Amino acid sequence: MNNIQDCYGINENGHLTIGGADTVCLAEKYGTPLYVLDENKIRRQCAIYRDAIKKHFPEGSMPFYASKALSFVDIYKIVKSENIGIDIVSPGELYTAISAGFDVSNACFHGNNKTDADIEYGITSGVGYFVADSREEVEAIDRIAKKLGKTQKILLRITPGIDPHTLKAISTGRVDSKFGTPLIEGKAEEITSFALSKENAILCGFHCHIGSQIFEPAPFIDAATVMISFLSDMKDKFGFEADVLNLGGGFAVKYTAEQGEVNISEYIGEIAKNVTNLCEKYSVKMPKIFMEPGRSIVAAAGITLYTVGTRKEIPGFKNYISIDGGMPDNPRYALYQSPYTVVCANRANAPADYKATVCGRCCESGDLIAEDIKVQKMDRGDTLAVLVTGAYNYSMASNYNRIPRPPIVIVKDGDDRLSVRRESFEDLIKNEVL
Ligand code: LLP
């Protein structure tokens, strides 16, 4: 197992633990498939960002947890008590955050196509910042704020034209992107001038997000360089000094023993050094810096537990281990071939010397979780754990093949509590007009 994250362990019974809790006991108590989250690990990750940003950037700088990575009521409660903001991308995330009692004045509302209804809901709920993706959105935010007799702070999303060297599907800051406004042909300048002409949409600064699962600080520094040079242009052209620069999210997480580690505080320190120098070089006031980590807050804190069913050996081809979940609870291998570490939770100390492909239960050949990896030889009834599933698993889960979504159990200091119930068959048809 190589202890790829500090919240996993193996106890005296040879069982995998997370946050000190025995995963085999959890699987027995709550059934499988089961998402398990270690609350203390999430809190530690929040603290790393909060403390590093506070240390290196001007007052008012802060992290905003990108809740698309994992959105349910309890996560907003945890994040709220850690005193960090949130990034939301839909009225559904906004509603969930409000249901958790989150003060959404500490929220950035994202999305490349917010409807008028989304905008009105956000403004009336008191969302701190809208990240406006286009000229139409600036116009709509201004118009709706005026109608409501309010003003609304906005940031403009700019695509800095940086290739973050990650998967194309999760790379967002290149010029050819559905997100934001590109710098080319004066487009970003044009939208800035348009936003500055508005009375109810109040321009506070700029945003960029270059992609996800990025292992190096260099692409962030490249993006900051482009953005600060742009800030300087906007100061020269319009006398506009940005109060906020939001650098987005994207720090990578270690999913397998082969992958490297991101030292978040160190990287933030490096980015800060560069941002400070760039502001000096371009004679712009150092803005408040916002960052929007999603994956690196919650991924490592989560595992998914399954029960093994059929094991099938196809001589000369593959050995398949089937589990009672799959792409409905974790579509990331099917979508991106994202690598995962798999462990036999009830024999975690046994040698991982069996080459296997872990497959789900859907009627679909691509329903795989990992291909040709080394694991313990597992048989029907064993508990199989997939590690580092806290981000973009529950939030991307579906009911494909009418499979109910698993519950979420949160462990803290060795205790466990049910946070999200397992979906029932009744839930599956609850919206159907019978
Ligand atoms: N800010 C913005 C504007 C974003 O679009 C994203 C992620 C984040 C922050 C958070 O990025 P993170 O720190 O989590 O890398 N479903 C894909 C990931 C899509 C990321 C979308 N945007 C996956 O499962 O890998």
Side-chain angles (χ1 to χ4, degrees), residues 78-91:
I78 294 170
V79 168
K80 177 182 173 208
S81 72
E82 289 296 327
N83 285 320
I84 71 176
I86 48 167
D87 146 358
I88 49 172
V89 287
S90 71

Side-chain angles (χ1 to χ4, degrees), residues 66 68 87 110 157 170 207 209 211-213 248-251 292-295 332 336 392 396:
K68 70 208 78 179
D87 146 358
H110 278 273
R157 181 162 180 169
I170 52 175
H207 168 276
H209 169 78
S212 202
Q213 191 62 358
F251 280 149
E292 296 169 338
R295 189 191 309 272
R332 297 191 67 257
Y336 320 117
Y392 303 112
M396 293 175 77

